Amino acid sequence: MGTLTFPLSLPGFVVGHAGLYQALVMFVVAYFIIGMTVLSVCAIATNGALDAGGAYYMISRALGPEFGGSIGIMFFLANVCGSALYVLGLVEAVVDSFGIPPGQKAGTGIHILPQSYWYELLYGTILLALCLLVCLVGASIYAKATFLIFLIVAGVLGTILISFFATRPIEVSILLPNLNGSETRNGSFTGFSLATLRANLGGGYDVDYTTGQVMSFSSVFAVMFNGCTGIMAGSNMSGDLKRPSYSIPRGTISAVLFTYLVYNLLAFLMCATCDRTLLQKDYGFLRDISIFPPLVTVGIYAATLSAAMSNLIGASRILYALARDDLFGRALALAKKTSTSGNPVMAVILSWLVVQLVLFSGKLNTIAGVVTTFFLLVYATVNLACLALEWASAPNFRPTFRYFTWHTCLLGIAGCCVMMFLISPVSASASLGFLLLLLLALHYLSPSSTWGYISQALIFHQVRKYLLMLDVRKDHVKFWRPQMLLMVQNPRGSARLIDFVNDLKKSGLYVLGHVELQDLDMLPSDPLQPQQDSWLSLVDKLNVKAFVSLTLAPSVRHGVRQLLFTSGLGGMRPNTLVLGFYDDEAPQDGLARHPAFTSAREEVPLSFPPIRAPTAPKLLSPREYVGIVADALKMLRNVLLARQLESLDKAWELRRAASPPPTIHVWPVNLLRPDSARYADTCSLFLLQMACVLNMARAWRRARLRLFLCVEAGAMPHAQEEKLRQLLKDLRIQAQIQLVPWDVVTRLHWQTHRGPPGGPAPAGEEEEGTVNFPANTTQVSDEYVCAANKLVLEQSPAPAVRFLYLPRPPADTSLYPLYLHQLELLTRGLGPTVLVHGVSAVTSTQL
């Protein structure tokens, strides 16, 4: 089988076993795959400056470090195994010519070389050392040697073509090994004969005399495809070419067309002149029919040695590129070292060592299957890289080579994958598994790169397309989901709030908003750009699925308005504003104590300012804070006010003893308007929905919802409870209902009001400590609010978090501070509490 590594002998092997018809099919399939891949290679090669690494460089810069590094290792191994394949093939060719025949103890004439596993390993080591010396000198001597070999092979080709016409019919005696020693068979060179042509048209798979295995379409194709893998030789030398974007397309396409024509021509000539016995039992028959046999022998040796050197130098360039990109850290650090002329000598030596290890296998046919599978996988990935670049439609992908489309890339991928599994399902599956392991290892272990990720371009392309399809006019309450805008003044004091709102979003949009109080007219550049990376790193470390939106504004209120108007895109816009509560509590640096930073021993991002000192002035006033709430409601955004969420230790709450499980208390009644307490208005239903959404989050599924029904004496509490239970059933919300008598609390309200419920409003001036709400003349005293706070606080056991009804701010802006004061009294000492006001219908009982 050694002479099969000589390209001109390959068509005889294929025709001998498969016949001319199947041979032509094999050539078409192989060159179809190669042709599609060549188009992709040419497209990528002409889209920018190429560096060392060939296919690895193209794939890594197109698909990112994970794919690039994985395929780089696969391509390195393919070239290493390919080099070993050609060395073993050359050894077999030398032994066939100069080895002692089987059964003889002493050599005669030129047959003086002993034959055994160790001797052949010695011959292979010597030949590989010769390849090493050439590659160590550098690419220039390799190029000169390759050109000399090309001239020799061209001369051999000319001699062979003449021989088919000049040589008379002859009988060739073939010595074949068998169990009893050896046997002699006769093959015939008939010259051009119609009978010979007809006999060789169909398939005739037989035992391969070099391996003893019965050949098949897939095994013949595997060997044949190895003779076509040289198309990457030019691209592997991309770092040594002066103009790779010019040389690679022209050289590669010329080589593919030339070899395809030569293979088909030789297949036809051999089919018409050589009988099947000669083609199947003597792979070196070209020496026997040549008009100058020694030239054919020299051509076999030269071509095989050239292929071995080509794969060795290609493997070294790939290894050098992998080492230089630092994808595998210190493991490949040695391969970075180069000579004074820039030749990666250590990469060459390391590649030589790996090839030497492969030589110990000594089984050429086993290596051939592995090499074919690896090369097909690399070709498929090259096509995938070009396909991804084409589908991403990035403006900077504009190769000067335009003779490709996404169809050619897709056909190349399909062809490679199909042939991989046809040749060897086991090898294909093992290769894909190995590739997947490399992908995962590089994804988690390799450092981030600055090459650009094609995945980002593809995601952008698809997201833009689907955002255009997301029509807000087709929104339906059945598919409503919360889309949060959380305003964060300083992440150092809001880490747990950010995490809590992440649980509330229910796969909806989540935006972290921040307002920087500066005037761009007075600044030399945008101060937000340097902060963007810190915010994105914060999102990554906290492991929340959120976007970041930063803005400049003269005041916080103006900044929040900007973000409410501009955040999001298309049908993905915030429908709920979340604010921290406005109180006098000293902020705590929760970020420094957060497990995401302490466990990884990483510093808190330094670009975030330190926590505001308790005595330092706040960035906004109470009036401005309530104005933000009023603005959001006018813009038909739901509002959540979160108080003391930084004291919520979610991990402790949810990991404590299973009995009793943590609870979520829900108060769907407006405690500041007891005369209009209803459980089925829009705001109450929204509050129920948010509590249910939190309970549906994976981290909160063990928690239990507890719904409090405030009842007065003589108001038929059981009927109210049954009505509420039916509502929960219709809404598919599982919650425990607890009746809470609140006559004592409401009595305080009516005493302050000085009249029975529904009676006339009191005349005269308003008492101090009351607030007049829009469209409702009810006056609520501090005493009443404190009683309502005590009522909520007395319900035990203490919950993990409470949801309370948030009333609308008063229409009179002068009452904003008093409104905020009432909210502070209502939620004082309650622990983690969320005040909720909803303005849109969010629940549905329909299918």
Side-chain angles (χ1 to χ4, degrees):
M1 206 169 186
T3 51
L4 291 182
T5 55
F6 180 50
L8 304 184
S9 303
L10 199 59
F13 164 76
V14 178
V15 171
H17 286 284
L20 181 62
Y21 290 152
Q22 292 187 40
L24 295 178
V25 171
M26 288 185 187
F27 290 138
V28 168
V29 172
Y31 276 87
F32 173 79
I33 295 172
I34 291 169
M36 298 300 102
T37 306
V38 165
L39 296 180
S40 298
V41 168
C42 294
I44 299 175
T46 59
N47 188 52
L50 272 181
D51 207 340
Y56 158 71
Y57 188 86
M58 299 178 191
I59 294 169
S60 62
R61 269 47 179 185
L63 298 183
E66 293 92 347
F67 252 108
S70 305
I71 290 299
I73 290 294
M74 303 288 284
F75 200 24
F76 168 74
L77 294 176
N79 278 275
V80 162
C81 293
S83 183
L85 172 76
Y86 287 115
V87 170
L88 288 174
L90 181 55
V91 168
E92 290 193 9
V94 171
V95 169
D96 284 345
S97 300
F98 303 104
I100 299 174
Q104 296 185 16
K105 295 184 179 180
T108 58
I110 62 172
H111 301 283
I112 58 174
L113 295 179
Q115 295 190 49
S116 71
Y117 168 79
W118 293 106
Y119 274 113
E120 291 179 4
L121 179 61
L122 175 63
Y123 305 150
T125 301
I126 294 172
L127 293 171
L128 183 60
L130 178 62
C131 296
L132 173 64
L133 289 176
V134 175
C135 295
L136 283 176
V137 173
S140 59
I141 190 65
Y142 164 76
K144 294 174 182 177
T146 304
F147 181 71
L148 177 61
I149 291 171
F150 169 75
L151 295 178
I152 295 174
V153 173
V156 173
L157 175 61
T159 303
I160 290 174
L161 292 177
I162 294 172
S163 300
F164 280 114
F165 296 92
T167 304
R168 294 183 178 182
I170 58 172
E171 291 288 326
V172 179
S173 180
I174 306 169
L175 187 65
L176 298 174
N178 60 19
L179 295 176
N180 300 321
S182 62
E183 64 172 327
T184 302
R185 298 276 295 272
N186 290 325
S188 300
F189 175 77
T190 64
F192 287 97
S193 168
L194 186 60
T196 304
L197 178 64
R198 288 176 176 173
N200 289 330
L201 290 178
Y205 295 103
D206 200 355
V207 176
D208 175 23
Y209 72 91
T210 64
T211 62
Q213 297 179 353
V214 178
M215 304 303 290
S216 63
F217 182 93
S218 60
S219 59
V220 171
F221 182 86
V223 176
M224 184 273 297
F225 194 81
N226 279 312
C228 310
T229 55
I231 64 165
M232 286 294 185
S235 63
N236 287 344
M237 300 291 294
S238 57
D240 300 296
L241 298 173
K242 292 182 179 179
R243 298 172 59 192
S245 60
Y246 175 86
S247 303
I248 288 176
R250 286 161 177 78
T252 306
I253 293 175
S254 300
V256 169
L257 293 176
F258 178 74
T259 54
Y260 178 72
L261 293 174
V262 169
Y263 279 165
N264 280 273
L265 177 61
L266 289 176
F268 176 78
L269 293 175
M270 293 172 180
C271 180
T273 58
C274 304
D275 70 355
R276 195 175 292 272
T277 301
L278 182 64
L279 295 174
Q280 287 185 345
K281 304 305 180 182
D282 185 7
Y283 299 148
F285 70 94
L286 289 177
R287 287 191 297 260
D288 301 318
I289 67 171
S290 175
I291 58 176
F292 188 52
L295 185 60
V296 175
T297 302
V298 172
I300 291 174
Y301 295 166
T304 310
L305 190 64
S306 171
M309 285 191 297
S310 172
N311 280 270
L312 178 60
I313 200 167
S316 68
R317 294 319 190 254
I318 296 166
L319 185 63
Y320 172 66
L322 284 167
R324 196 174 57 179
D325 286 339
D326 280 327
L327 295 183
F328 296 89
R330 296 180 180 178
L332 298 180
L334 190 62
K336 295 181 184 180
K337 296 184 178 180
T338 62
S339 65
T340 54
S341 61
N343 186 32
V345 290
M346 292 308 302
V348 172
I349 294 173
L350 291 174
S351 302
W352 166 75
L353 286 173
V354 180
V355 175
Q356 184 64 56
L357 291 175
V358 177
L359 287 181
F360 280 97
S361 68
K363 295 181 179 180
L364 193 147
N365 59 320
T366 302
I367 299 175
V370 173
V371 171
T372 301
T373 302
F374 279 10
F375 271 111
L376 282 170
L377 193 57
V378 172
Y379 293 170
T381 313
V382 170
N383 284 300
L384 177 62
C386 189
L387 177 67
L389 289 169
E390 178 70 8
W391 274 356
S393 300
N396 284 322
F397 181 63
R398 42 179 185 270
T400 56
F401 182 86
R402 296 301 304 165
Y403 301 102
F404 78 100
T405 67
W406 66 268
H407 304 86
T408 61
C409 302
L410 207 57
L411 288 172
I413 295 171
C416 290
C417 294
V418 169
M419 292 314 303
M420 270 174 49
F421 283 94
L422 283 179
I423 290 172
S424 176
V426 175
S427 296
S429 301
S431 300
L432 289 173
F434 182 53
L435 176 64
L436 183 61
L437 287 176
L438 288 173
L439 275 170
L440 292 174
L442 285 172
H443 178 73
Y444 289 106
L445 301 179
S446 69
S448 59
S449 73
T450 57
W451 308 334
Y453 293 81
I454 190 64
S455 58
Q456 295 298 303
L458 290 171
I459 291 170
F460 178 88
H461 185 268
Q462 293 302 108
V463 167
R464 181 194 64 85
K465 181 171 70 175
Y466 286 114
L467 273 175
L468 291 172
M469 297 171 61
L470 191 60
D471 191 345
V472 294
R473 295 168 297 183
K474 297 180 182 178
D475 282 349
H476 193 279
V477 66
K478 289 190 298 184
F479 307 112
W480 178 90
R481 65 181 72 240
Q483 306 200 73
M484 305 291 199
L485 171 61
L486 170 63
M487 297 306 304
V488 180
Q489 193 270 322
N490 190 337
R492 292 182 183 272
S494 307
R496 288 182 174 174
L497 176 58
I498 293 171
D499 183 62
F500 178 79
V501 178
N502 187 61
D503 291 334
L504 272 178
K505 72 180 187 306
K506 187 56 180 174
S507 302
L509 177 68
Y510 183 18
V511 179
L512 297 181
H514 173 71
V515 179
E516 193 77 15
L517 298 182
Q518 296 191 55
D519 186 356
L520 190 59
D521 290 337
M522 308 300 294
L523 299 171
S525 62
D526 182 6
L528 299 178
Q529 291 300 321
Q531 300 182 29
Q532 190 77 18
D533 287 344
S534 296
W535 282 86
L536 294 176
S537 298
L538 174 75
V539 169
D540 293 337
K541 293 300 295 180
L542 294 181
N543 195 27
V544 295
K545 298 185 173 86
F547 298 95
V548 174
S549 187
L550 312 179
T551 188
L552 286 176
S555 68
V556 176
R557 185 174 182 181
H558 281 87
V560 176
R561 283 180 185 171
Q562 291 176 18
L563 293 177
L564 285 173
F565 277 124
T566 61
S567 293
L569 196 63
M572 292 187 67
R573 292 186 179 276
N575 57 27
T576 303
L577 175 67
V578 186
L579 301 172
F581 197 77
Y582 192 98
D583 54 27
D584 294 326
E585 293 186 14
Q588 302 294 323
D589 192 347
L591 200 60
R593 303 189 303 272
H594 197 280
F597 294 92
T598 56
S599 61
R601 299 179 182 178
E602 295 188 18
E603 295 183 359
V604 179
L606 298 178
S607 62
F608 297 132
I611 288 294
R612 176 181 60 84
T615 57
K618 297 182 179 180
L619 295 180
L620 73 166
S621 64
R623 187 185 300 273
E624 188 178 9
Y625 176 83
V626 179
I628 293 173
V629 176
D631 291 342
L633 296 178
K634 292 175 183 177
M635 297 165 68
L636 298 182
R637 303 297 202 276
N638 310 297
V639 176
L640 273 61
L641 303 184
R643 185 172 192 186
Q644 294 187 349
L645 261 297
E646 289 304 305
S647 66
L648 172 63
D649 190 345
K650 185 175 72 172
W652 181 85
E653 289 286 353
L654 301 178
R655 290 175 188 170
R656 61 183 182 177
S659 180
T663 57
I664 300 171
H665 285 189
V666 183
W667 295 78
V669 64
N670 188 350
L671 294 175
L672 295 184
R673 291 175 57 181
D675 60 331
S676 61
R678 291 182 297 170
Y679 291 91
D681 66 355
T682 299
C683 187
S684 297
L685 293 177
F686 180 80
L687 189 150
L688 282 173
Q689 182 82 321
M690 295 310 299
C692 180
V693 165
L694 180 65
N695 194 210
M696 293 169 70
R698 180 177 300 178
W700 291 88
R701 285 177 184 169
R702 282 190 58 248
R704 297 291 180 264
L705 288 181
R706 179 172 295 173
L707 189 62
F708 293 93
L709 176 61
C710 297
V711 296
E712 299 181 47
M716 296 185 295
H718 294 293
Q720 295 182 33
E721 180 183 5
E722 187 60 32
K723 184 177 179 181
L724 182 57
R725 196 178 302 279
Q726 184 61 42
L727 175 64
L728 294 177
K729 181 179 179 181
D730 292 340
L731 297 177
R732 289 89 61 203
I733 297 176
Q734 295 183 357
Q736 175 189 352
I737 299 177
Q738 182 171 330
L739 301 181
V740 179
W742 70 331
D743 297 80
V744 176
V745 178
T746 56
R747 191 176 301 117
L748 292 173
H749 166 68
W750 300 125
Q751 288 175 357
T752 304
H753 184 58
R754 298 176 184 170
E765 61 182 9
E766 297 177 351
E767 295 183 10
E768 184 178 356
T770 64
V771 61
N772 193 341
F773 292 98
N776 180 21
T777 56
T778 303
Q779 297 174 345
V780 181
S781 66
D782 286 357
E783 184 182 9
Y784 164 78
V785 177
C786 290
N789 169 266
K790 183 179 179 181
L791 177 71
V792 174
L793 193 59
E794 287 175 346
Q795 308 306 315
S796 60
V801 64
R802 291 180 172 90
F803 283 84
L804 270 62
Y805 191 116
L806 173 68
R808 292 184 70 94
D812 186 354
T813 58
S814 64
L815 297 176
Y816 281 0
L818 192 53
Y819 167 81
L820 186 58
H821 171 69
Q822 297 286 346
L823 294 181
E824 195 280 329
L825 287 179
L826 179 64
T827 57
R828 182 178 294 175
L830 295 184
T833 304
V834 182
L835 291 162
V836 181
H837 191 96
V839 296
S840 56
V842 296
T843 56
S844 174
T845 59
Q846 301 176 3
L847 287 177

